[in-house]
Amino acid sequence: MSGVILNNVKKRYGAVEVIKGVDIEIGEGEFCVFVGPSGCGKSTLLRMIAGLEEISSGDVQIGGRRVNDLDPKDRGAAMVFQTYALYPHMDVARNMGFGLSMNGWPRDEVDRRVNEAARILQLEPYLDRKPRQLSGGQRQRVAIGRAIVRDPEVFLFDEPLSNLDAELRVATRLEIAKLHGTLENSTMIYVTHDQVEAMTLADKIVVLRDGRVEQVGAPMDLYETPDNLFVAGFIGSPKMNFMALDNGRLPDGTAPAVPGAAGAATLGVRSDALRPVESGGDVAGEITVVEQLGDAVFAHFRTGWGQEMVARFEPGTRLRAGESVRFALAGRTHLFDAEGRALRAAAERLTA
Ligand SMILES: Nc1ncnc2c1ncn2[C@@H]1O[C@H](COP(=O)(O)OP(=O)(O)O)[C@@H](O)[C@H]1O
Ligand SMILES: [Mg+2]
């Protein structure tokens, strides 16, 4: 049993509360991603689980044990940092095994574990190299190897890809996904500000904002049924389009068919839920920028009331800036109340 449970966890620095009562349950073997904007408390939360940061109040359990007062090395968790901080004068093998050797592990057991980690991470050809003779991606793999040799119950990753260039980031992301497949029973907690990393890696995503949990769920649950405006705007690329509704009417007076839109509300539509139409429709505007991605075309447009929005077109569609476009809402729509909470329940009742 190596799940992780956070129970009303708080962190204060003096009078400032940066983690404001967080409850999370992570199952054994689960890949859980903490995602949220910079400064929302992701690293602080991870460091409290690792034991690198004192817990002001609440409990952290790993594998059913309360670990609040345990030393980092006794928690069964190993952390991989954004800056890999390898020892420059040690070769790869020694960088990976050093921690174990320092803790008095016998030489042959250290070697066995280092060789096993090198095999898993495909670092075998590089065991004799110094860090400066490695690429950024290989160095990050060594840092991951340093965690693997400790055979932890829980892996903690703090933005491990953010020092890599775009191509390596994608490649290393895939390696981490494979690693989770290889190390079947190990629980992983992975921190990132990148919602694409969160969507692609996670079994479960925890969206954080300003020291609080906004929503927890599987990637597609968050994408399809965000609980609030923040999650709706954070998850998904391009971002969800938002339009103000006043008693069911858009600012230009159009009344799209949206059930339950009384009073002040916000209507959310993703770029692929806008269907181009010749006339009529729900939303009209003028194209500002066209992005040709090969497998899709994204047309950014400005509505008559000045709202910037984006619509997805079929690959190959010819569009120009300045062109007028009209769309019908054709797909899932999202409705949020004046406080930004999803009005899902109300909408579902009405359509049921
Ligand atoms: N040692 C510290 N003293 C005071 N405030 C801190 C300290 N460390 C972090 N913070 C604050 O806690 C908040 C969360 O920081 P952090 O966990 O690093 O965010 P994230 O990893 O999500 O970018 C930030 O507002 C940050 O300024
Ligand atoms: Mg951080």
Side-chain angles (χ1 to χ4, degrees), residues 13 18 37-44:
Y13 290 108
V18 297
S38 179
C40 70
K42 305 178 295 293
S43 295
T44 305

Side-chain angles (χ1 to χ4, degrees), residues 127-196:
L127 282 169
D128 298 330
R129 290 208 195 167
K130 298 280 166 57
R132 71 183 137 76
Q133 298 167 304
L134 300 175
S135 70
Q138 290 164 342
R139 283 181 214 171
Q140 188 53 286
R141 295 218 300 271
V142 177
I144 295 170
R146 220 161 30 182
I148 291 178
V149 297
R150 295 182 50 195
D151 191 23
E153 290 179 72
V154 183
F155 284 86
L156 307 172
F157 293 93
D158 193 354
E159 310 227 14
L161 307 185
S162 41
N163 282 357
L164 305 179
D165 64 37
E167 197 178 329
L168 260 178
R169 232 176 9 242
V170 173
T172 313
R173 189 176 85 203
L174 283 171
E175 279 172 19
I176 290 176
K178 283 185 202 148
L179 183 67
H180 182 237
T182 310
L183 307 171
E184 273 172 21
N185 295 319
S186 47
T187 307
M188 297 195 170
I189 308 179
Y190 184 105
V191 159
T192 178
H193 62 271
D194 183 325
Q195 62 89 21
V196 176

Side-chain angles (χ1 to χ4, degrees), residues 62-83:
I62 300 177
R65 275 191 313 173
R66 182 176 179 275
V67 298
N68 288 47
D69 307 316
L70 293 185
D71 258 16
K73 66 171 172 36
D74 299 327
R75 294 190 180 198
M79 188 141 160
V80 178
F81 299 90
Q82 175 180 346
T83 49

